Amino acid sequence: MVRIPGGRFRMGSAEFYPDEQPVHEREVAGFLIDRHTVTNADFAAFVEATGYLTVAERPLDAGLFPELPEEDLRPGAMVFTATAGPVDLTDWRQWWRWEPGASWRHPEGVDSVIHDRMDRPVVQVAYEDATAYAAWAGKRLPTEAEHEYAARGGIDGARFAWGEEAYPGGEAQANSWIGRFPWDNRGRFGATPAPVGSYPANGYGLFDMIGNVWEWTSDYYAPRHTVPGAHAPDRGARADLFAASSAEPGSATPRRVLKGGSYLCSPDYCLRFRPAARSPQAEDTATTHIGFRCAADA
């Protein structure tokens, strides 16, 4: 882990997406954070030690999904699938599919394996899985503010973790989508997570805080930032009632904030490989582009 000194920074952005507003000063106490995301090797050690079964490896609760036929209640997860050509970018169902048998061991389905990906971020982990691993490791998940503060690497207020340009000198600084989304990927690793540490570390010596995989944080999602008291250090605390208000309309499942963007972030669709960017995700959902790293009090 790396110790991040406490301080104040400008959180959010007024340039891109509404939920990144308002830009405000946020105070963060010193904390520790993993140098890189939890890998398949790390998670395998946890499962071997505890026998833990992830959310994606359990059948869906018929009581929560009464409209689904029995065959659709089988264990599984969401898998990204590149399209054959240009599609309507307002319909995410064009490139996401529910895949029975997909899990952290088989990220794209039962025919996929991870024995040659042990140095890559573990994916297909829901919020419950990430918190279970963190507890086993004697750690916790970072708050949204901690993640953004650490991702900036000491560069306060810049668009990207490395400055103002997305691709300085024409070079990618993180594993994001290069080409036309969701069908033409010309990136170094294609449409897949890269081994951790494949791109330069930021100013704090942290790898892949931007791009590669979205990362779970402990904060409930709200469509705008909640600005704390002017001198109150942020720890991401939320009243229990906020969990219900953070759920997507029509659902009782709370949503948490994801940070950092992923290998699927593309300037022509999702310009979210930035420190200020954020995304809501239901706690019970696992996908091929979501992972996590842990934090701890200093």
Side-chain angles (χ1 to χ4, degrees), residues 62-88:
L64 296 177
F65 301 95
E67 75 285 358
L68 292 181
E70 185 175 351
E71 61 268 20
D72 290 342
L73 298 174
R74 292 176 294 170
M78 299 296 290
V79 173
F80 171 79
T81 305
T83 60
V87 294
D88 178 3

Side-chain angles (χ1 to χ4, degrees), residues 24 28 67 121 124 164 179 182 184:
H24 60 285
V28 176
E67 75 285 358
Q124 298 295 21
E164 297 300 323
D184 173 32

